[in-house]
Every structure is written in structure tokens, then in C-alpha cells.
Amino acid sequence: MMTKMNETGATTGTKIMMPHKGDPEVLTVVAREQGTLKPGQATVRVEAAGVSFAEVQMLKGRYFGQPKFPFVPGYDLVGTVEEIGEGVDQGMIGQRVAALTQTGAWADRVTLDAKDLALVPDGLDPAEAVAAVTNGVTAWQMVYRAARVRPGQTVLVHGASGGVGTLLVQLARLAGAEVIGTASASKHALVRDLGAIPVDYKNESVPERVREIAPEGVDAVFDHVGGPGLVDSWRVLRRGGTLVTYGSASTLNETGHWLKPYLTIMGRVLLWSVLPNGKRATFYYVQRWPKLFQRDLSTVLSLLAEGKFKAHVARRMPLEKASEALGLLVSGKASGKVVLVPGLQTEG
Ligand SMILES: NC(=O)c1ccc[n+]([C@@H]2O[C@H](COP(=O)([O-])OP(=O)(O)OC[C@H]3O[C@@H](n4cnc5c(N)ncnc54)[C@H](OP(=O)(O)O)[C@@H]3O)[C@@H](O)[C@H]2O)c1
């Protein structure tokens, strides 16, 4: 159950607090105080904030570099600039912008450095746009920078029904590749609609199915699952292929130090990279370096605005329902991106 708590001082809005480790129910709705803007900052009225697997990991205290509890979660947002600090271009006021915040986006208003804001093209729905911020740049950089997917290639996307996976499938298709996508059987219709050949990772042998579809192996594998299955991802690569590993979803419920599974992945990547086998392995992590991130985010949002790919919003939920939204993600029932919409009255 979410509870409303009071804070001292003038209260002007709402934010969500992750107070300690636990289940999504521990999240609380608290009052937000409006601070004073420092030079170079801008206050954004949040229109959509993404719910991501990173928050699931943070809730277990298993996310790389997460702040100490309590903190306001929220990896990315889209909203409109309402107020600016000294030194910020007046023209920013009223602009719709996007930002990767890592934490802090689950609030009705967020103050950020103006240099970290990217303009959102006119006509884009904020919830669809936010689904393409972290996930869009992640998918874009993995397809075009890490694996350099080319026309005529065949690639394997794990978790093709998820927030990142739905975008990976579409961007790899856009790059001209044939795509094989793993997903639960109930989500195969979506995966097929996106243009991929679905494989049921729960009931089929993924390596066997991949070999049936691509007897010589695939040119790239995008793997967020980690664990022992990473070896299969490496083995189904053809000569010249690239394994892009970018997560360790299968070890979420392990009890050892959160870093251990990542060290195993890094060790494998390092070993595989030095072997004279004609294949490449790399670990991808989305970076906030303003220039590269913003350039790729602008590209991704422009492609979305041009209709070159679709952002799949699984559900829009009021900000105050953050614990239910995170619970929905944890349940595995969502296809695509769960989005929090401050001020939303009716869910959609
Ligand atoms: N490195 C980076 O910079 C970066 C950036 C963003 C995200 N990520 C990582 O990307 C992953 C996905 O994030 P997301 O927000 O897209 O999560 P999401 O929307 O919850 O999607 C996760 C997907 O994984 C699938 N899945 C779960 N276990 C699987 C398995 N054993 N084999 C194949 N698929 C499996 C689920 O498929 P079904 O529901 O069909 O079963 C689900 O669609 C997370 O691990 C996250 O940490 C990394």
C-alpha cells in the first residue's frame, strides 16, 4: 500500500520515494518542495516518466551506482520546461524536452541542468517519446555502434517483447537485418508484428531453434539475460559475429554480491575477445555523456516522429500508482514500456 507522508516546509507537488529495499509496495508518495533554481538549471513539468528494470534492481539494492536509500527513482522523463535559471536560453521555456536522469524522474516537476535536456520533436506523444529515451538510445547504440548491424544479416534479440527488446527488433529490422526474438509464448503475436521470428525461451531450446533458422549462426546477439545462457549466446554466433551483452536479468534474485554476476560476464567477454576465433564480445552500458547521448537521442526521437519505428507503451498510470506500475513490470505481464503520467486520472 502506498502512503502519503508530510514533509516540512512549503509543499508544491508530488514525488515518489524508494525508502529501502523491498517489494514495490514499499514505495511512498511524498510531498515535493520547490527549491530555488541555480544558474544553468531548468525546471521541467513532467508529462511522462519511464518505469524500467533498473528500478526493479534498485529496489533489491542490486543496481550499479544507485544512491543510498531513501531516494526518488525514475530513469528518464519527457516534459515541458516551465522555469529556467540564470544563463539558460529564454527560448527553452515552453519547449518539450527529454532527459535521462537515472534517478529522480518520478515526480511532477524535476529540476535538471539545462545542458542535459534534449528537444523532443513536435507531435510526439510524451509517453511514446519517453519509451524511446533510455531504451531507444540503448537499442540504437547497440544496433548501430556496438554490433554495426548491416543489411542481409541475421540477429538474435533476447527479450524481444520488453522495453528495450521491442526497440532492438525494430531498429535491427530498419538496419536491414532478419531478426529472431525470444519471448514468452503469450507475447509472440507482438514479436511477430514487430517483424521478428519468435522463439519461446521457456519451452524451446533457443540454440537449436536458432540453428534451424540460421544454420551458420547469427551475426549478432543482444543478451540482457546473462547467467549460464550467455555461453549459448556466444555459441550461436557465426564467424565475424558480435555478442552484445548488456544485463544480467537471470541473476536478479541471487543473494550474493550484486557485482558477482557482472564480473563473470566481464571475465567471459574479456576471454572471448582475446580468443582467435573471428568473433567479438562486448559489454554495453548506456552513458550519459551529454554530446553523444543527446545526438543519438535526437536521431532516435526523429525516427520515431517520422514513424520509422513504434514505441510500445504497455500502460500509462498516474504517478501516485508508481508501486502498482513497478509491480506490473515485475509481474512480467507488460509488453513494452510502463509509463507514469503525472496528473493522469484514468489509466490507459
Ligand atoms: N546496459 C544498459 O545500458 C541497459 C540499458 C537499459 C536496459 N538494460 C537492461 O535491459 C534489460 C531489459 O530492460 P527492459 O526495461 O526492457 O525490461 P522489460 O521491459 O522488463 O523486458 C525484459 C524482457 O526480458 C524477457 N526475459 C526475461 N527473462 C528472460 C530470459 N531468461 N530469456 C529471454 N528473455 C527473458 C522478458 O520477456 P517475456 O516477458 O516475454 O518473458 C521481458 O520482455 C534489463 O536487464 C536492463 O537491466 C541495460
Side-chain angles (χ1 to χ4, degrees), residues 4-16:
K4 184 108 181 165
M5 297 193 325
N6 286 323
E7 277 187 351
T8 53
T11 58
T12 56
T14 307
K15 63 185 180 186
I16 305 299

Side-chain angles (χ1 to χ4, degrees), residues 9 31 33 58 77 87 91 99 114 133 143 172 184 214 220 256 271 273-274 308 310 343:
E33 291 173 35
M58 288 183 196
L77 62 82
V133 177
V143 168
S184 293
L271 174 71
S273 300
V274 295
K308 295 276 169 52
K310 283 195 174 129

Side-chain angles (χ1 to χ4, degrees), residues 53 138 159 161-164 182-184 187 201 224-225 246 284-286:
F53 193 77
T138 298
S161 62
V164 178
T182 68
S184 293
K187 299 179 183 176
Y201 69 91
H224 69 296
V225 185
Y246 68 106
Y284 171 88
Y285 184 67
V286 67

